[in-house]
Amino acid sequence: MSSDCVAAELAEGSGAGGVAAGRNVAGADEERADELEHMIKVFKTTLCPQANGPVSHDHRCCPYYHSDRDRRREVLSDDGARYFAEPCEEQFDSQRVCSKGDTCQYCHSTAEVLYHPDVFKKRLCYQAKRCPRGRYCAFAHSRQELLVPHFSESEEAEPSEEFIAYKFKTQWCPLGGPHDWESCVYAHTYRDWRRTPLIGYTSRPCPQWNKSISNGMVELSYDQRCPRGVACMLAHGSKEQLYHPQFYKTSPCSESCCRRGPFCAFTHGPHDLRRPCAAHPPQAGGAGDGDTSMQVRALLAVHQPQYWNPPKYHQLEDSARSYSGGGSCVGIGFSGHGPYRGVGGERQQYQERHQAQQAPSGGGRRIRHRLRARAVVLALPSGPLARALRPLSPDAADELEGIVYPCVAAVTVVYPRRAFRVPQHGKGPVNGFGQLHPRSQGLRTLGTIYSSSLFPGREPDPEKVMLLHYIGGARDPELFGGIEDMTADELVEATHRDTAVTLLAPAA
């Protein structure tokens, strides 16, 4: 990618065909283009001089790499990109080694994905001013930094009906963070994307496209769904049909309490009734004609210059894939988008797919369940969860990896019942649930559960008492030196000293 190429993307990012107002690429933008090109070329491609030094620093704000996990291979060559902006199935943010080594045509780390020319600065950072990466962030911190076409903030927040009819879902989404795809004015996948109505297609549905959707095959490319591709003169999907200028706001809504406003394709009274607009027929030839196809692509290049290049991060979200380095697929959807709305009454239809595969070991069947949902709860330890989220949200992965699990040991000890002090309440020794020890008491044991009292029969001998102690915790290394290197006998002795203070009789 040369400076001219970066400048060209800056020009596209300023918007053609009604997206945000254009900017002059000369002067300051040329300097910015050089800076962006430099970032893509050299960021994280050289080992940090302080990588093995005594002084630690924030790796996220360092332009050098510190391990294989944040190392980048040089991506640009005279012939273009050396590898694709897609995770390698053999090695991705893992300790495994790719059989192709540095000649592999896929990304080996999140850094290689995020700073690839196909991804870099093509999405807004959801942390914005709070981003710890600052100027080294791979995402744009302002709309001026975006290298893709985008709408104005007012068009995103309060879209007019005219905007919905002609521009809704015609540009790829640059918004960062989870959000409702249905109420977002941008497109996220080709099933969500609209061709601009200016190319002349009608609002009648394409049977080939509908057939591909009903088959449930999300992996099909755009041209595989319809043999005429983008030059087809019929509507591809519900978005192109419902929001077509000939259809949008021309029929009454069937919902009595609809609150979708301009996003509802139907009318709610005379105030938002639109008259069908005339279609924009192609200049020459019939549907699928070679000249027509060229004319359509030329129009798309003007009004939707990135139509052929959907965002890589949305592809990952739509397929709900997260690579663990061994080619395995985690069947969790991180799309964060709302339910799919069809033409028939716009009833909500949640889409799920169940796929059964023979387990590799031959022991039964493995079920992979893919689900699109508004939110996902991930019940995983922070380490595995960080590895699963890193391709989608490296900042969240960094925060998760920063979570420390203090070392705590559970120590079970049995004492003779006669060894305990007789309490004044007269209900016998160690009667109740247990006890907790604040650090202010000077005890090392965090707490003790009276197992014999809480769980009758846990200790079958009535003349003995079983206690379950917990020792360790976040402050133990600071106060007592930590328990990681202690033997079992040493742990028992440590808890016994505290038990002698709190529960045992002096002569025990």
Side-chain angles (χ1 to χ4, degrees), residues 161-173:
E161 292 184 353
E162 195 70 11
F163 173 89
I164 295 291
Y166 285 96
K167 299 174 186 177
F168 181 63
K169 300 291 186 182
T170 58
Q171 303 294 345
W172 297 117
C173 183

Side-chain angles (χ1 to χ4, degrees), residues 344-363:
E346 291 193 314
R347 290 180 301 176
Q348 297 182 351
Q349 299 175 355
Y350 287 92
Q351 302 175 352
E352 1 180 275
R353 281 183 52 202
H354 298 263
Q355 181 178 4
Q357 296 179 334
Q358 190 66 33
S361 61

